[in-house]
């Protein structure tokens, strides 16, 4: 079992239209799942995803057997990712001008006919899935209707696992046009909306290469979906083929990994490994791994690609700072490794330069650290006169807390809290979920926060936190972090990174705090992090947003809308709320940012943008990979959109 099994499938592809297989020894058999699933077989027999790769020799065989569609799967132009000359880049940009002005859309005359998709399905071992939106089971007028499945789906709708286990479901539903929501099953019709038309449930590198080559050669929009957590609609797209990475679950502990700058334990993580799996493995192997706070986020997918903030960041830096090596299928279909000595531009760019931009990551090797003790606190505070916390007292207390952020961040703090309106002026719910410091004992933690609690008491706020102490991250994380429901409402957020320099000037510090307060008073929720995200000494340079590196306060703000307020709410978030905050924090976090951020190039990538764009143009000259606010994305747009919100429901065209 190996490359040869793929070849056998390639052989049959010549006869694919007839749905039969001609095997190497000339036997003709029906093409069904049991005969054409080398991918499934490879996984069942314990092979790694890398064991099946597409090579020139395989493609030569395909051509030799007169598969008329063979050219659809050929590799793209060889571009040396490291050393393409400026001249070559310019000629590539000119080439783009000669290509079609839009990605081919279903219904267009160039859209591949059904037999071509059948061939593609056969070549990929039956991994192609024609999209049935997740909510279809709730639509009485849909072939997929199933009352029991619908009830189950509705009950599990706000669990992230419901969406990550589906090939195309996403957690911010409006990007696909809020089509086919299970809640509307009795009152509307399920349409495909902004969902991909097909997805490929990949288990091997070869399948990813075939999909990348096919999409590029056929000018089909390509998207990559891992878990579907993305807040900006980057993991879906109308009329697209989606590469669904969810089955790439390999996880290997490496006792001693060595690079020019690191020597120690590591994990090699498949593209689908989620935060909960990473933390469970770290616990098992007696180490600390760096991931986010939410259990379902994909580690080597969007999280590390976007930089990645972690409960451990104040001590060990960002998710991107842990990476030792990256395996990736490039836009030209080639499978390469990028690390400190190979494909070094890519190694720099992929760590922070954003998902769905430079190719499809198949695995990453990341550092892990010793287990360490943690101490911290949680609390829930209801404010307002009725709760004994007058508005003035509450804000004075919050300002006193904010003033200490650089000091706390330097001590290793990760403090994650949420502030929601209770529906009446001056009444809020403040949930600390938690405030935690790796490496600290509870005695030290209490000593650190005692001056703040004393200040609060003097202001009239008496708050008794719930303290905790553990000897590792896993226990702190599994017991003291909240359950986070997803896909609950149409809500949009933006984010800001406030740099330490603001604290150096009393006028700007007051201005920043007043601005955040005013946005909250105007109706925004506040999700805030007191965090440090500097790269630890000795970390190889990466493309992680330079605005992250000197931030002491990271906020996510925004709100939900109802049908009639959609435009007003969306315009307000970008042009009013974010505008007020941008004056103090020019940066935002690309994974949790405003999809309409006006200068996303600087806000999401900082001073790394120009170099990122150069690498993007070298590696992906025809923009096979596109996502809103991704590097180089501004020369395309989804047609038929409003000015104030980019959905993924239309055709993707050049600007
Ligand atoms: C409830 C919740 C909690 C969160 N908590 C944190 C947190 O603590 N810290 C933090 O930093 N972020 C956090 N995030 C944000 C999270 O990092 C992003 O949503 C991230 O994009 C998710 O990546 P994913 O691969 O799981 O999701 P997806 O939506 O599947 O993918 C996100 C992006 O990455 C691309 N992508 C995915 N896999 C690959 C791949 N293998 N190769 C190339 N591109 C790929 C997709 O095309 C898309 O553009 C949170 C989000 C939510 C909804
Ligand atoms: C090409 O096809 C031949 C004949 O079926 C087979 O023996 C050979 O292994 C194939 N080569 C590759 C690289 O797949
Ligand atoms: C492919 O086509 C060529 C030219 O028509 C023909 O000579 C050859 O026999 C064909 N090969 C196969 C394997 O059918
Ligand atoms: C549709 O209506 C039926 C009958 O009233 C009800 O049992 C079911 O829950 C409804 N489905 C949805 C998705 O609301
Ligand atoms: C686990 O790691 C900690 C910290 O490195 C070490 O002190 C301890 O001995 C280890 N325990 C086991 C069982 O290996
Ligand atoms: C999630 O959904 C369940 C069941 O519908 C509900 O009880 C719960 O309150 C929801 N939780 C969140 C955080 O949305
Ligand atoms: C502080 O910021 C204000 C407003 O930007 C500016 O006018 C003032 O000069 C700054 N003060 C110092 C000491 O830099
Ligand atoms: C955009 O175009 C798509 C595809 O033609 C269509 O289905 C969708 O409804 C359109 N969206 C809007 C907002 O007009």
């Amino acid at each position: 079992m190996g490359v040869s099994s793929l070849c056998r499938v390639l052989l049959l592809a010549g006869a694919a239209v007839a749905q039969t297989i001609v095997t190497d020894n000339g036997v003709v058999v029906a093409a069904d799942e049991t005969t054409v699933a080398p991918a499934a077989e490879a996984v069942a027999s314990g092979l790694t995803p890398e064991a099946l790769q597409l090579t020139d020799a395989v493609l030569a065989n395909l051509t030799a057997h007169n598969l008329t569609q063979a050219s659809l799967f050929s590799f793209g132009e060889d571009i040396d990712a490291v050393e393409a000359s400026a001249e070559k880049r310019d000629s590539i940009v000119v080439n783009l001008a000669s290509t079609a002005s839009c990605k081919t859309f279903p219904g267009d005359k160039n859209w591949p006919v059904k037999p071509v998709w059948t061939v593609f399905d056969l070549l990929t071992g039956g991994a192609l899935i024609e999209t049935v939106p997740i909510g279809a089971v709730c639509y009485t007028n849909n072939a997929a209707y199933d009352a029991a499945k619908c009830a189950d789906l509705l009950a599990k709708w706000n669990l992230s696992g419901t969406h990550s286990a589906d090939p195309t479901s996403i957690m911010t539903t409006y990007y696909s046009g809020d089509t086919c929501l299970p809640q509307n099953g009795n009152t509307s019709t399920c349409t495909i909306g902004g969902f991909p038309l097909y997805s490929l449930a990949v288990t091997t590198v070869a399948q990813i290469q075939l999909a990348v080559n096919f999409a590029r050669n056929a000018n089909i929009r390509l998207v990559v979906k891992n878990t579907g957590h993305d807040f900006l609609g980057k993991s879906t797209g109308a009329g697209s083929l989606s590469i669904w990475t969810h089955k790439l679950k390999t996880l290997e502990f490496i006792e001693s990994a060595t690079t020019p700058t690191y020597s120690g334990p590591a994990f090699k993580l498949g593209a689908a490994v989620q935060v909960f799996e990473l933390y469970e493995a770290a616990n098992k192997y007696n180490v600390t791994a760096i991931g986010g706070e939410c259990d379902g986020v994909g580690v080597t997918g969007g999280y590390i690609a976007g930089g990645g903030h972690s409960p451990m960041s104040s001590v060990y830096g960002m998710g991107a700072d842990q990476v030792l090596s990256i395996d990736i299928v490039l836009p030209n279909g080639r499978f390469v490794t990028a690390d400190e000595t190979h494909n070094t531009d890519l190694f720099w760019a992929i760590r922070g330069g954003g998902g769905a931009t430079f190719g499809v990551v198949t695995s990453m090797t990341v550092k892990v650290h010793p287990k360490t003790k943690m101490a911290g606190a949680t609390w829930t505070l209801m404010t307002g006169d009725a709760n004994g916390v007058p508005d003035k007292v509450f804000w004075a207390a919050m300002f006193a807390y904010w003033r200490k952020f650089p000091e706390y961040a330097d001590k290793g703090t990760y403090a994650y809290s949420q502030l929601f309106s209770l529906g009446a002026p001056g009444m809020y719910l403040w949930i600390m979920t938690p405030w935690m410091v790796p490496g600290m004992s509870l005695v030290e933690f209490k000593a650190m926060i005692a001056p703040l609690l004393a200040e609060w008491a003097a202001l009239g706020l008496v708050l008794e936190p719930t303290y905790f102490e553990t000897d590792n991250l896993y226990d702190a994380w599994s017991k003291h972090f909240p359950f986070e429901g997803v896909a609950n409402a149409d809500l949009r957020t933006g984010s800001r990174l406030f740099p330490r320099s603001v604290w150096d000037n009393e006028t700007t510090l007051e201005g920043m705090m007043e601005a955040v307060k005013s946005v909250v008073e105007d109706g925004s929720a506040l999700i805030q992090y007191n965090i440090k995200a500097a790269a630890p000494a000795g970390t190889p340079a990466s493309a992680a947003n330079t605005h992250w590196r000197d931030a002491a306060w990271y906020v996510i703000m925004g709100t939900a809308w109802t049908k009639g307020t959609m435009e007003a709410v969306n315009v307000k978030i970008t042009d009013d709320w974010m505008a007020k905050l941008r004056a103090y924090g020019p940066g935002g976090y690309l994974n949790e940012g405003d999809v309409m951020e006006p200068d996303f190039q600087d806000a999401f990538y900082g001073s790394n943008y120009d170099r990122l764009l150069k690498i993007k143009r070298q590696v992906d000259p025809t923009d096979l990979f596109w996502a809103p606010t991704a590097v180089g994305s501004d020369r395309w747009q989804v047609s038929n959109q409003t000015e104030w919100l980019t959905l993924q429901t239309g055709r993707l065209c050049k600007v």
Side-chain angles (χ1 to χ4, degrees):
M1 211 50 227
V3 169
S4 74
S5 77
L6 180 65
C7 299
R8 210 175 304 140
V9 178
L10 292 179
L11 273 175
L12 62 88
V17 181
Q19 303 281 298
T20 56
I21 303 172
V22 183
T23 66
D24 282 359
N25 54 10
V27 177
V28 181
V29 292
D32 61 31
E33 270 198 29
T34 58
T35 51
V36 294
E41 277 179 55
V43 170
S45 56
L47 291 174
T48 61
E50 293 83 8
L52 284 178
Q53 291 184 28
L54 185 68
T55 62
D56 292 311
V58 171
L59 281 174
N61 257 7
L62 197 57
T63 311
H65 286 274
N66 294 348
L67 174 66
T68 48
Q69 296 91 351
S71 64
L72 279 175
F73 303 98
S74 58
F75 288 103
E77 197 185 341
D78 247 337
I79 302 156
D80 188 320
V82 188
E83 285 167 329
S85 67
E87 200 182 315
K88 183 156 190 186
R89 278 200 302 275
D90 291 347
S91 74
I92 288 162
V93 176
V94 173
N95 285 344
L96 181 69
S98 66
T99 62
S101 60
C102 294
K103 302 274 180 178
T104 305
F105 204 73
D108 291 354
K109 79 173 189 320
N110 287 335
W111 182 257
V113 292
K114 198 83 184 186
V116 173
W117 290 97
T118 305
V119 168
F120 178 53
D121 184 38
L122 290 170
L123 293 178
T124 53
L128 190 66
I129 301 169
E130 194 163 353
T131 299
V132 176
I134 190 171
V137 293
C138 292
Y139 283 70
T140 45
N141 56 3
N142 191 287
Y145 179 70
D146 184 319
K149 283 186 185 161
C150 173
D152 189 52
L153 178 63
L154 288 168
K156 294 177 179 159
W157 186 248
N158 65 12
L159 304 178
S160 70
T162 300
H163 306 275
S164 55
D166 182 86
T168 57
S169 189
I170 52 169
M171 300 177 209
T172 305
T173 57
Y174 52 84
Y175 290 109
S176 50
D178 271 341
T179 183
C180 204
L181 289 177
Q183 295 84 355
N184 303 336
N186 286 338
T187 51
S188 70
T189 302
C190 172
T191 63
I192 190 105
F195 288 114
L197 202 57
Y198 291 98
S199 52
L200 193 68
V202 297
T203 49
T204 70
V205 166
Q207 291 165 322
I208 298 173
Q209 294 177 294
L210 286 163
V212 163
N213 286 349
F214 177 46
R216 191 190 57 253
N217 292 324
N219 187 37
I220 293 171
R221 182 169 176 196
L222 183 68
V223 305
V224 184
K225 187 207 162 189
N226 185 19
T227 67
H229 271 83
D230 196 82
F231 283 110
L232 290 82
K234 293 165 88 171
S235 35
T236 197
S240 69
L241 165 64
S242 173
I243 294 176
W244 183 38
T245 60
H246 185 64
K247 296 184 176 181
L248 296 168
K249 285 285 187 192
T250 51
L251 192 158
E252 181 196 346
F253 181 60
I254 303 169
E255 247 179 282
S256 181
T258 305
T259 74
T261 56
Y262 179 76
S263 182
F267 278 137
K268 183 167 184 186
L269 306 173
V273 171
Q274 290 167 271
V275 166
F276 74 94
E277 293 161 324
L278 176 72
Y279 288 172
E280 278 167 11
N283 194 43
K284 175 174 159 194
Y285 290 104
N286 194 33
V287 293
T288 304
I290 309 305
E293 45 85 12
C294 172
D295 63 350
V297 164
V299 182
T300 72
Y303 172 79
I304 283 180
H309 62 84
S310 166
M312 303 300 291
S313 283
S314 296
V315 180
Y316 292 122
M318 306 192 74
D321 296 331
Q322 316 309 316
V323 181
L324 302 174
S325 174
I326 299 165
D327 292 331
I328 183 170
V329 174
L330 297 178
N332 66 6
R334 301 291 178 182
F335 178 57
V336 302
T337 296
D339 59 24
E340 275 182 77
T341 46
H342 308 92
N343 298 301
T344 51
D345 269 359
L346 275 169
F347 183 60
W348 176 83
I350 296 163
R351 293 174 300 137
T357 303
F358 303 102
V360 183
V361 169
T362 62
S363 70
M364 289 191 188
T365 303
V366 297
K367 294 177 195 180
V368 292
H369 307 274
K371 272 190 179 169
T372 176
K373 66 186 171 195
M374 313 262 154
T378 58
W379 65 71
T380 299
L381 177 74
M382 300 230 274
T383 80
D385 294 340
N387 296 309
V389 186
D391 201 40
K392 262 199 151 132
V393 171
F394 167 66
W395 284 112
M398 191 62 101
F399 277 36
Y401 170 56
W402 287 339
R403 281 179 178 278
K404 297 184 192 294
F405 271 19
E407 173 200 330
Y408 290 150
D410 284 340
K411 288 181 173 153
T413 276
Y414 167 86
Y416 165 36
S417 74
Q418 309 176 344
L419 184 70
F420 300 110
S421 168
L422 285 171
M427 291 186 71
Y428 302 102
L429 178 65
W430 186 22
I431 313 170
M432 179 57 75
T433 63
W435 180 349
M436 187 172 95
V437 186
M440 247 186 204
S441 68
L442 185 53
V443 171
E444 291 166 322
F445 180 80
K446 283 182 169 173
M448 181 182 81
I449 75 168
L452 177 66
L453 295 182
E455 244 182 273
W456 283 357
L459 289 167
L461 173 66
V462 180
L463 190 148
E464 194 46 55
T466 305
Y467 294 102
F468 64 86
E469 187 173 32
T470 69
D471 60 8
N472 65 80
L473 171 66
Y474 184 73
D475 289 341
W477 174 77
S478 46
K479 292 185 193 135
H480 304 291
F481 279 70
F483 162 71
E484 294 187 354
V486 300
N488 278 325
D490 279 337
L491 75 111
R492 172 144 149 238
T493 50
S495 66
R496 304 262 58 99
L497 291 157
F498 295 119
R500 281 152 182 267
S501 55
V502 172
W503 277 260
D504 297 338
N505 180 321
E506 181 56 29
T507 313
T508 51
L509 176 59
E510 275 293 325
M512 171 180 69
M513 296 191 297
E514 288 294 346
V516 173
K517 178 185 173 212
S518 74
V519 172
V520 169
E521 286 178 330
D522 200 24
S524 174
L526 172 66
I527 314 292
Q528 59 177 344
Y529 297 79
N530 179 199
I531 193 169
K532 183 172 148 189
T539 307
S542 78
N545 190 349
T546 48
H547 294 294
W548 258 118
R549 300 307 196 174
D550 61 351
W553 186 15
Y554 167 54
V555 301
I556 304 176
M557 303 190 77
T559 192
W561 62 80
T562 52
K563 226 174 185 157
T565 60
M566 183 169 178
E567 179 173 355
V569 165
N570 277 279
V571 169
K572 177 168 240 174
I573 289 170
T574 306
D575 297 350
D576 178 357
W577 291 351
M578 283 300 130
K580 281 187 180 128
L581 306 181
R582 229 174 263 131
Y584 302 95
Y589 179 27
L590 73 89
N591 274 345
E592 297 172 326
D594 180 0
V595 70
M596 305 311 286
E597 183 71 34
D599 181 7
F600 75 82
Q601 291 89 340
D602 175 67
F604 294 167
Y605 305 92
S607 59
N608 293 326
Y609 191 77
D610 291 347
R611 183 173 170 202
L612 278 167
L613 185 61
K614 265 187 201 150
I615 296 169
K616 168 73 175 174
R617 295 292 184 240
Q618 286 170 220
V619 173
D620 189 12
T622 63
D623 293 340
L624 175 63
F625 289 86
W626 182 90
T629 74
V631 169
S633 58
D634 50 337
R635 58 183 184 180
W636 297 81
Q637 67 188 10
V638 177
S639 61
N640 74 2
Q641 296 292 304
T642 66
E643 290 285 303
W644 41 268
L645 183 60
T646 294
L647 301 180
Q648 296 307 322
T649 50
R651 172 196 291 268
L652 187 62
C653 293
K654 285 180 199 161
V655 169

